[in-house]
Amino acid sequence: MRKKKFSLKKAVWYACLSAALLFLFLIGAAIAVTSDLPSVTQLTSGKISQSTKIYDRTGQILLYEISDSGETRTIVPFSQMPQYLKDATISIEDENFYNEPAFDWRGIARAALVNLTRGGIFQGGSTITQQLARNAFLKPERTFLRKIKELVLAIKLDENYSKDEILGLYLNQIPYGPTIYGVEAASRAYFGKGVQDINLAEAAILAALPKAPTYYSPWGSRLKDLFKRQKIVLEKMYELGKISKKELDEAVAYNVSFQPKSIGGIKAPHFVMAVEDYLVQKYGENMVNRGGLRVITTLDWNLQEIAEKTVYDGAKRNEELYQGKNAALVAQDAGTGQILAMVGSRDYFDKDVDGNFNVATQGLRQPGSALKPFAYLTLFQKGYSPDSVLFDVPTEFASKNPSCPAIVDFNNENTECFHPQNFSNTFSGPITLRNALAQSVNLPAVKVLYLAGIQNVLDNLHKFGITTLNEPNRYGLSLVLGGGEVKLFDLVGAYSVLANEGVKRQQSLVLEVRDGNGNTIESYEDKKEVVADAQSVRLVNDILSDVEARSGLFRGGLSLTVFPEYDVALKTGTTQDYRDAWAIGYTPTFVVGVWAGNSDNTKMQKNAGSILAAVPIWNKFMTEALKSQPKQTFNRPDAVPEDKPMLNGDYFYNNQLHSILYYADKSDPLGPQPLDPSRDPQFENWETGVLEWAKNNVGVVSSYSQITPGQSGPGLQLSSLPVVKIRNPQQGGFVGSQISVAADIVSYFNVGKINVYFNNQNVGSFTGSFGKNYTLNWSFTAYALLPQNSLVVEVFDEKNQRSQDEVIVYQ
C-alpha cells in the first residue's frame, strides 16, 4: 500500500498552532497566577504594619510591644543600619546580590534538579530579593505555584527599587524570631539596644538567624549551633574581603551577651496595660496596633524593680502571717504628677490572686482612715488649728432617736444608731486636732467630718483627684472611717496635692509619643491648678510629718516611719474586719501608696491592720527609693491665732467643761458664740458624752445643768486639777526592758513638772513650761522587771496642784 507523504507545510502549521496554544496557555496561566498578587510598592507606601513600642522614661528599656498580628517590628532607615550588618547578611545569604538580577537561574536550576531527583517540594535557590518577596507578600506554603509567584514578585521588586532599597526592606521585614521581625526589633530583643549600636560580633549573630530563627534562637537550647553559624558568617565576610583577619579573630573571641527573655514578653505589666488603655482611648486601636508608635513612659525602671520585689515579698509575708495574699503599690513624682512605679498585684501571672487585675487603677477598696487628712484640711480651711480641742469620748451621732440613747451603749447594734469605737477600744478625753489626726483616732475624726461638712469634704476630695465617692447619702459620717470606695491610684494623686501645698498636677503615664515616621505627636505637659490654700495644707503636712505626735499610734513600729535626713509624712488606714490595709507616705517631692489585702475581699487574720500589713511594705520600698530622692523639708505653717475657747485649745474656760458646739457655730466657727447651741442637732449628744466622760475622769464640783434654748448655762463646773492619761503602755499590757511611755496631759493651769515612776522608783523627771495641753513621749530602760510592774506618771501644774495616772504591766 502506498504511504501518504507527510506534508512539511502541514507539520509547520501544526507546530505553529501548538506553539500558539502553548503561548496562550502560558499567558493564561501567568495571568491566573499573578492576578491576585499585591503591589510591591506598598512596602514603601506606609501600609506596612509596625508594632507600638512602650519604653521606660530613659527610652532604653523596652517594656512591651503591641501588635494586632503578634509581630514586633520597627522600621529603621537603611542609613542607620551598620555596614557590618549589611555585609554580614549579603555574605551569608546572597554574596552576588549587587551583581545579579532578581533571581539566580543557576541556583534555581540546581535546586530544581535536587528536588526532581530526590522528590519532594520545590525549595532552595533564593536570592535576597526572592526572600523579601516571599516574606513580605506570600504565605509560608511550599508549592511550585508559590515559587512562580515569588519569581514574578522578585522581578517587580527589582524593577521598582534599587539594590540598597531592596536590602533595606529585607532587613526591616524578615523574621529573626517567632514574633520578632526586622533588625531593629531583633537588636532590641536580643541585645537591649538599637541596631545602630551593635558591633561586628552581634551583627554576625543577626545575620545567622534568618536561615532558621527558631532553631538558632538566642533564647533556645542550641546556642552552640548559633555560634558555629556566627563563625561561618564571619569567615565568609573575611573570605569576601569585608573584614580583616584581626576583626575576624576579635569578633569570634567577643563574648556576646543576650538579654533575658521577659516573662510573657512584658515588663511592668500592670503599668504597661494602663498605658495601652490610655493610648487606645486617645489614638484608637488601629493606630496603636499597626501604627508603629514609639512611646516613652514616665516609668523609672529601677524603682519599678524595687517595687515589684517589695510587693511580692511583702504579700508572701502577709500570706504566711495574716492570710493576706495580695498587695499593690504606686509611686509618683509629686512635682510633676508622673507615675514612677506601679504594681497592681503581687504577680501579674498568678491566677490565684487574680494577678491580671490592677488593684491600683481598677480596684475599688475602702480606704479606712486614709481619708481623714482631707476632713481635717477642710476644717482648717474654716479657721480651726492643730491646737483646737475635741472630746474623744463615747458619742452617739444618731441624734434625737429614741432607739439610740445619748448615753452610748456599745451593745446596741441597731443599724439606725452610729456610735463608732476607736481602734484601741479606749477614749482619751480632750485631744488636740494634731494628736487626733497623727494618731488616727476615730471618734474625733467623725466630729471633724461633721464640723467640716460632709459635702465640703467630698468637694475637696474631688478637687484633689478622687474620681469616686459620688454617693454622699450612702456614706454619711462613716466616710472618714472607710465608708466609701477609692482607687489607690487616685489616693496617691490626692496625697501628692498635699505634698505640693495645694497644687494639683495631672497624673501622667506618658512623656512622649512618636508616630511610625518619627514625628512627635504627644509630649508631656505640666498641667496644674491650685485646689487648696497653702496654709491649710501646710497644717496637715506639719501634723502628718510630726514623728513625736504619731509615736503613740505606732509605738514599737515607729522606726518603720522614720528615715534619717528625710522629712516624711505618713497616714495609714485599716477597714472593718481587716479587709484592707493602707499606708500613704510622702516627702515634698515623692509620694508612695501601698494597699494590702485579698483580691476577693476576704478579711486578713490576727488583726492585720495597716501597721502590720501595709507599713512594712511601704517602709521597705521607701528605704530604697529615697536614696534617689532629694532631701527636702516641708514648709512650716504660720501660727493660727485663736481667741475662742476650744478652738484655741482651752477647754477649761471659766472652769467649765463643754463640747466644742457650745462655743462654735458649725456654719461660722470664727463668728459669735451660739446664743442657743442646742439648735445644733448634735449638741445634746456631744454634751452628754463630755459629761459621762467627766464623771469618771475629772472631779466634779457641782452638778451638770442642762442648757435650755436661749441660755448659755453654767455647764459642768470642774476642779482645776491637771488630768493625766497614760496611753502607752496600756493597762494589763506586756513590756520588755525598753519601755515607751505616751501620756496625754491637760490642765487648767500650765504644766510645770512631770515625774515618771516604775515600781516606785523615779526613772524620769522633767521640768519646764509645758503649756495646758501636752503629750509626753519618752522611753527608758527597765533594769529590774518583775512579773507585775507599776508605771506612774505624775504631773504638777504651776500652782503645784498634783495629779497622776497608773497602769499595771507585765513582763
Side-chain angles (χ1 to χ4, degrees):
M1 186 174 170
R2 186 180 174 187
K3 290 184 179 180
K4 275 189 176 180
K5 254 181 153 183
F6 184 76
S7 169
L8 180 62
K9 185 176 180 181
K10 187 177 287 188
V12 171
W13 185 85
Y14 277 120
C16 290
L17 179 61
S18 298
L21 291 173
L22 178 62
F23 177 76
L24 291 173
F25 172 77
L26 292 174
I27 291 294
I31 293 174
V33 168
T34 61
S35 61
D36 61 341
L37 290 181
S39 170
V40 296
T41 58
Q42 75 179 53
L43 289 175
T44 53
S45 65
K47 295 181 180 179
I48 298 302
S49 173
Q50 297 187 62
S51 56
T52 287
K53 279 79 175 173
I54 299 178
Y55 294 92
D56 76 331
R57 66 187 300 110
T58 68
Q60 299 300 312
I61 305 296
L62 178 63
L63 304 177
Y64 189 53
E65 292 194 52
I66 305 170
S67 170
D68 58 355
S69 63
E71 300 176 2
T72 58
R73 178 189 286 114
T74 299
I75 305 299
V76 291
F78 188 68
S79 61
Q80 291 183 14
M81 299 177 187
Q83 190 62 42
Y84 281 142
L85 177 62
K86 300 170 187 176
D87 291 340
T89 301
I90 291 173
S91 297
I92 196 65
E93 292 292 337
D94 188 3
E95 63 182 83
N96 295 313
F97 171 70
Y98 278 101
N99 302 312
E100 67 187 5
F103 49 86
D104 180 4
W105 279 110
R106 285 170 295 184
I108 292 175
R110 286 194 301 270
L113 179 62
V114 170
N115 287 320
L116 289 172
T117 57
R118 296 183 183 177
I121 55 176
F122 195 96
Q123 57 183 325
S126 295
T127 64
I128 282 177
T129 309
Q130 287 175 261
Q131 290 182 53
L132 173 61
R134 179 168 66 244
N135 283 285
F137 300 109
L138 300 176
K139 296 179 181 179
E141 57 189 3
R142 290 182 175 182
T143 65
F144 182 79
L145 201 59
R146 196 204 68 164
K147 199 67 178 179
I148 297 297
K149 292 182 179 180
E150 178 186 304
L151 293 174
V152 173
L153 288 169
I155 293 170
K156 289 185 177 182
L157 285 169
D158 202 50
E159 291 173 348
N160 284 274
Y161 298 103
S162 69
K163 289 294 186 179
D164 280 354
E165 289 173 327
I166 290 173
L167 181 58
L169 291 168
Y170 172 87
L171 293 172
N172 273 318
Q173 286 285 336
I174 61 167
Y176 288 84
T179 61
I180 301 170
Y181 287 72
V183 291
E184 176 69 9
S187 182
R188 293 281 180 184
Y190 298 136
F191 308 127
K193 53 187 172 183
V195 69
Q196 69 271 19
D197 297 323
I198 64 174
N199 58 33
L200 173 59
E202 293 163 336
I205 289 288
L206 292 185
L209 290 173
K211 180 180 180 181
T214 300
Y215 182 89
Y216 290 115
S217 172
W219 296 328
S221 59
R222 301 181 182 91
L223 282 180
K224 287 185 179 180
D225 291 344
L226 172 61
F227 284 112
K228 284 180 182 178
R229 183 162 173 78
Q230 177 211 32
K231 187 176 180 181
I232 293 173
V233 173
L234 291 168
E235 289 173 344
K236 189 70 175 177
M237 292 178 73
Y238 172 68
E239 177 188 321
L240 295 174
K242 301 299 182 181
I243 58 174
S244 66
K245 184 66 167 61
K246 180 183 178 183
E247 288 175 313
L248 168 63
D249 294 339
E250 289 177 348
V252 170
Y254 181 80
N255 182 23
V256 177
S257 176
F258 297 112
Q259 290 285 102
K261 185 177 182 180
S262 59
I263 299 175
I266 187 172
K267 294 181 174 71
H270 293 103
F271 177 84
V272 164
M273 292 298 103
V275 171
E276 183 176 358
D277 287 344
Y278 166 80
L279 294 172
V280 168
Q281 289 181 25
K282 186 166 186 177
Y283 299 106
E285 290 193 14
N286 187 60
M287 173 68 85
V288 173
N289 289 333
R290 301 176 57 83
L293 301 179
R294 176 180 169 85
V295 184
I296 306 298
T297 69
T298 61
L299 189 85
D300 183 312
W301 178 241
N302 291 330
L303 290 181
Q304 179 68 20
E305 287 188 301
I306 296 169
E308 289 182 1
K309 185 177 188 309
T310 301
V311 168
Y312 182 83
D313 292 346
K316 288 288 285 184
R317 171 185 173 273
N318 286 346
E319 181 178 13
E320 294 170 2
L321 296 177
Y322 314 120
Q323 297 179 33
K325 299 179 181 180
N326 210 358
L329 182 150
V330 174
Q332 178 177 324
D333 184 325
T336 63
Q338 296 170 12
I339 303 301
L340 302 177
M342 177 190 291
V343 182
S345 73
R346 83 178 193 188
D347 184 351
Y348 182 84
F349 301 99
D350 188 346
K351 293 182 179 180
D352 290 339
V353 296
D354 198 13
N356 285 180
F357 185 75
N358 189 341
V359 177
T361 60
Q362 299 171 303
L364 291 174
R365 312 296 301 214
Q366 291 192 344
S369 299
L371 297 185
K372 287 177 181 175
F374 304 98
Y376 282 80
L377 168 76
T378 309
L379 197 64
F380 292 151
Q381 291 174 329
K382 287 192 163 193
Y384 289 78
S385 82
D387 293 326
S388 298
V389 173
L390 294 176
F391 274 93
D392 174 30
V393 296
T395 305
E396 176 57 64
F397 290 91
S399 61
K400 304 184 185 306
N401 187 330
S403 300
C404 310
I407 298 178
V408 174
D409 176 8
F410 285 108
N411 293 318
N412 182 356
E413 297 181 355
N414 190 319
T415 56
E416 295 180 6
C417 306
F418 183 52
H419 38 263
Q421 273 273 25
N422 287 328
F423 187 78
S424 64
N425 292 320
T426 62
F427 295 88
S428 56
I431 187 171
T432 63
L433 295 186
R434 173 179 294 276
N435 286 337
L437 175 56
Q439 296 162 22
S440 198
V441 188
N442 286 343
L443 199 288
V446 177
K447 289 185 174 180
V448 165
L449 178 60
Y450 176 76
L451 294 169
I454 295 175
Q455 192 57 54
N456 294 332
V457 173
L458 287 171
D459 288 345
N460 265 338
L461 284 165
H462 292 146
K463 289 178 184 177
F464 276 51
I466 299 297
T467 57
T468 55
L469 301 178
N470 298 309
E471 304 172 73
N473 292 332
R474 179 164 68 89
Y475 320 129
L477 291 174
S478 70
L479 177 67
V480 288
L481 306 182
E485 297 80 25
V486 300
K487 300 174 183 178
L488 175 60
F489 186 80
D490 289 355
L491 201 56
V492 168
Y495 273 82
S496 76
V497 181
L498 297 178
N500 263 327
E501 297 192 339
V503 178
K504 176 188 175 186
R505 283 184 159 83
Q506 181 174 303
Q507 289 175 291
S508 176
L509 302 172
V510 172
L511 292 178
E512 180 186 87
V513 179
R514 291 178 180 267
D515 64 18
N517 297 317
N519 301 312
T520 301
I521 58 176
E522 179 181 342
S523 294
Y524 163 77
E525 293 182 37
D526 184 12
K527 297 180 180 180
K528 59 184 180 180
E529 62 174 318
V530 178
V531 296
D533 64 288
Q535 167 67 3
S536 299
V537 175
R538 287 176 182 175
L539 291 172
V540 173
N541 292 341
D542 191 58
I543 294 172
L544 296 183
S545 61
D546 188 337
V547 176
E548 181 179 340
R550 69 172 174 250
S551 62
L553 172 65
F554 289 92
R555 299 175 184 172
L558 184 64
S559 62
L560 295 177
T561 75
V562 179
F563 303 87
E565 300 184 33
Y566 286 90
D567 207 1
V568 179
L570 173 64
K571 187 69 192 74
T572 59
T574 304
T575 53
Q576 190 175 14
D577 294 330
Y578 305 98
R579 299 178 190 277
D580 303 277
W582 305 77
I584 318 289
Y586 58 99
T587 72
T589 62
F590 188 56
V591 188
V592 178
V594 168
W595 167 86
N598 285 305
S599 300
D600 60 4
N601 206 34
T602 55
K603 63 183 180 180
M604 293 182 284
Q605 304 300 312
K606 299 180 182 178
N607 297 341
S610 56
I611 297 175
L612 295 177
V615 171
I617 298 175
W618 175 83
N619 166 268
K620 188 174 181 181
F621 177 78
M622 288 288 282
T623 299
E624 295 300 318
L626 285 179
K627 294 176 181 178
S628 61
Q629 299 300 316
K631 298 175 182 177
Q632 293 187 18
T633 57
F634 291 105
N635 293 319
R636 299 309 170 197
D638 298 329
V640 182
E642 293 285 6
D643 295 325
K644 262 189 181 180
M646 297 289 284
L647 270 72
N648 63 9
D650 183 4
Y651 59 89
F652 271 140
Y653 183 69
N654 281 343
N655 207 25
Q656 296 182 28
L657 201 62
H658 288 287
S659 74
I660 199 167
L661 293 174
Y662 180 83
Y663 300 103
D665 187 329
K666 179 189 172 209
S667 61
D668 185 18
L670 300 184
Q673 181 174 335
L675 294 177
D676 183 5
S678 65
R679 297 184 65 177
D680 189 299
Q682 289 291 333
F683 176 73
E684 180 181 342
N685 284 15
W686 289 25
E687 288 280 290
T688 300
V690 172
L691 172 61
E692 291 301 308
W693 174 84
K695 287 179 180 178
N696 298 311
N697 293 274
V698 182
V700 180
V701 181
S702 65
S703 62
Y704 178 72
S705 299
Q706 185 74 18
I707 296 173
T708 58
Q711 297 178 339
S712 59
L716 185 63
Q717 301 295 323
L718 303 173
S719 70
S720 58
L721 291 176
V723 176
V724 57
K725 179 70 173 178
I726 299 174
R727 287 188 289 101
N728 187 59
Q730 293 184 4
Q731 183 73 257
F734 292 87
V735 296
S737 60
Q738 191 68 24
I739 300 176
S740 297
V741 180
D744 292 328
I745 304 166
V746 293
S747 177
Y748 185 75
F749 299 105
N750 289 327
V751 175
K753 184 177 181 180
I754 304 171
N755 294 319
V756 180
Y757 297 91
F758 191 72
N759 292 333
N760 299 317
Q761 297 294 316
N762 189 313
V763 292
S765 292
F766 311 91
T767 58
S769 181
F770 299 103
K772 297 179 180 181
N773 303 295
Y774 182 72
T775 298
L776 173 68
N777 287 291
W778 179 67
S779 298
F780 70 96
T781 302
Y783 294 103
L785 275 173
L786 302 174
Q788 179 175 299
N789 305 271
S790 168
L791 176 70
V792 173
V793 176
E794 180 184 49
V795 176
F796 293 88
D797 65 16
E798 61 188 357
K799 301 295 185 181
N800 208 34
Q801 297 184 106
R802 175 186 175 280
S803 184
Q804 72 171 49
D805 191 25
E806 179 183 19
V807 294
I808 301 299
V809 293
Y810 299 92
Q811 184 179 14

